Amino acid sequence: MPFIAAVSKIDLPYKTDQNDVKQQALDMFSKNFPEANRLIFAFDNTEIKYRNFCKPLSFYSKPNTFQERNNEYIQIALDYSVQATEDCLAKAGISKEDITDILFVSTTGLATPSLDGMIINKMRLNPHVNRSPLWGLGCGGGVSGMAKANTVAKANPDAVVLLVAVELCSLTLIKSDYSKSNFIGSSLFSDGIAACIIKGDNHRNNSCATYVASSSKLYYDSLEVMGWDFQDTGFKVLFSKDIPAFIHEHIKGDIDEFLSKHHLKIEDINNFIFHPGGKKVLDAYQDTLGIEGDFLKTTREVMNNYGNMSSATVLYVLEKFMQEGFEEGYGLMLSMGPGFSSEMVLLKVS
């Protein structure tokens, strides 16, 4: 089966204390959003200590247009994608000429040609690399991208697949949007860039993480739970307080059904590589799954130190497992995103 050869992440230069973000949000919202003073506690309740930002905090209070923000997205996404890729190639001990496929995941900016094409051009990768840009999967994109990258490597045992996830959530902030969703979103979302190398069977497996299977599920009649409302001013964030309720209602049964197909139970999972949607989401996982101990410790630590970086976050969690070590046995990657949907990947780890 395919295996994860390496993972790299980017620590952006403008990591910002959550208390500083809180004060700026209060300054920006309080005049036109009367509920700001009542809801400001949301910043403290996230348990986020630092936010990973691609720009200094002062940038977000200055006037800008959607075009300006999207141009920043393209340039920053390209520069850091190349940096993450080069680091990942070095970790995997391979050259850029070895890459056969590239999957690019994002939901926070627009580019045509897509960023994968720009990466190939800038890095002078093999011009015949197979390209798959994946857009619109939101927080579910990291696990979905991992599943698709492994599907490619399973189909072609000679494959060396580059998976890149870029989310510059901070650049989607619409300062004139004084909605509750935008205010709460400003307490959670950050920027992240991660790259992974996945190899097929014909390569020597010196990795601790081998792909087993994946699952994707879309829940009918839940399109309004999370997404964007596209406006002249940019991407207006939409998300519902119903996300923890969805987890309580569905996720235990979905995990049990997925694992049972591989003759496993949740007790067989020793490594939980979950996307941290926020404190309430992690609490819902903890309550619903009923697993003893802090099984989401690594996920929680990534959320504390970076914030919610949408699709890239789960790859930061994976990178931390790869660096600090897995418990032998099985690992489960899981994220939920627009649709509303859930994505899972089962790994065998040693």
Side-chain angles (χ1 to χ4, degrees):
M1 297 294 279
F3 59 93
I4 302 168
V7 184
S8 63
K9 64 174 174 58
I10 297 292
D11 285 284
L12 289 163
Y14 302 106
K15 190 170 263 194
T16 305
D17 190 288
Q18 175 77 325
N19 287 323
D20 294 335
V21 185
K22 173 184 172 182
Q23 185 57 54
Q24 178 154 304
L26 190 60
D27 294 342
M28 289 172 60
F29 278 85
S30 55
K31 183 179 178 182
N32 296 289
F33 181 61
E35 291 184 84
N37 285 290
R38 183 176 65 83
L39 294 174
I40 196 66
F41 70 87
F43 282 79
D44 303 319
N45 290 349
T46 61
E47 294 186 353
I48 294 168
K49 298 176 184 175
Y50 302 100
R51 306 277 286 282
N52 211 30
F53 286 151
C54 65
K55 287 285 191 179
L57 193 57
S58 58
F59 170 86
Y60 305 100
S61 63
K62 295 175 183 175
N64 53 56
T65 64
F66 170 53
Q67 180 180 354
E68 288 168 339
R69 295 195 305 274
N70 198 69
N71 286 341
E72 291 279 4
Y73 164 86
I74 292 170
Q75 189 58 58
I76 293 169
L78 178 58
D79 289 346
Y80 283 114
S81 291
V82 170
Q83 183 178 321
T85 297
E86 289 174 342
D87 182 49
C88 202
L89 290 171
K91 284 184 178 181
I94 60 175
S95 69
K96 64 182 184 180
E97 289 77 20
D98 295 321
I99 297 172
T100 61
D101 300 81
I102 178 170
L103 283 78
F104 182 84
V105 176
S106 189
T107 309
T108 48
L110 301 172
T112 304
S114 52
L115 262 295
D116 44 288
M118 295 183 191
I119 293 167
I120 292 169
N121 186 65
K122 185 167 184 176
M123 293 187 69
R124 289 302 194 256
L125 302 181
N126 184 331
H128 299 288
V129 166
N130 297 306
R131 299 166 49 202
S132 297
L134 304 175
W135 199 91
L137 294 169
C139 293
V143 178
S144 180
M146 180 61 69
K148 289 170 174 59
N150 278 277
T151 299
V152 169
K154 190 175 179 182
N156 175 17
D158 292 321
V160 175
V161 185
L162 170 64
L163 169 65
V164 179
V166 175
E167 301 293 5
L168 304 182
C169 303
S170 71
L171 293 179
T172 67
L173 178 70
I174 301 174
K175 291 195 297 298
S176 59
D177 175 14
Y178 299 108
S179 66
K180 182 177 178 181
S181 280
N182 196 34
F183 185 76
I184 297 300
S186 72
S187 74
L188 287 170
F189 291 105
S190 304
D191 305 327
I193 303 97
C196 306
I197 295 290
I198 295 96
K199 294 183 179 182
D201 260 349
N202 287 350
H203 299 274
R204 186 167 66 89
N205 187 347
N206 53 3
S207 170
C208 55
T210 301
Y211 173 81
V212 178
S214 61
S215 170
S216 181
K217 181 175 182 180
L218 188 134
Y219 304 97
Y220 293 141
D221 303 321
S222 61
L223 302 178
E224 74 289 346
V225 171
M226 181 185 288
W228 296 122
D229 180 12
F230 297 101
Q231 302 184 346
D232 291 343
T233 48
F235 297 7
K236 176 180 168 62
V237 66
L238 302 174
F239 63 92
S240 166
K241 63 182 180 181
D242 294 335
I243 295 172
F246 253 88
I247 293 170
H248 281 291
E249 184 176 354
H250 297 286
I251 209 65
K252 177 69 163 64
D254 291 344
I255 291 174
D256 287 345
E257 181 183 2
F258 174 50
L259 294 179
S260 69
K261 293 176 181 177
H262 307 283
H263 311 291
L264 297 171
K265 297 180 179 179
I266 199 161
E267 291 80 13
D268 297 309
I269 304 299
N270 295 327
N271 307 276
F272 292 86
I273 309 153
F274 281 26
H275 167 74
K279 180 184 182 298
K280 289 183 178 179
V281 169
L282 295 187
D283 288 347
Y285 285 135
Q286 205 131 21
D287 295 343
T288 305
L289 298 180
I291 299 168
E292 292 185 7
D294 191 4
F295 68 100
L296 293 175
K297 178 177 180 291
T298 304
T299 287
R300 204 176 294 275
E301 287 174 353
V302 168
M303 182 185 73
N304 294 161
N305 289 312
Y306 292 92
N308 182 344
M309 301 170 283
S310 192
S311 70
T313 325
V314 75
L315 302 181
Y316 279 59
V317 179
L318 177 63
E319 191 271 347
K320 193 170 174 62
F321 270 101
M322 297 281 281
Q323 288 292 320
E324 298 180 357
F326 293 93
E327 277 191 51
E328 189 170 350
Y330 289 93
L332 180 66
M333 297 183 70
L334 184 145
S335 61
M336 305 188 82
F340 195 60
S341 58
S342 63
E343 304 286 342
M344 289 185 270
V345 166
L346 179 64
L347 300 172
K348 182 80 168 68
V349 296
S350 58

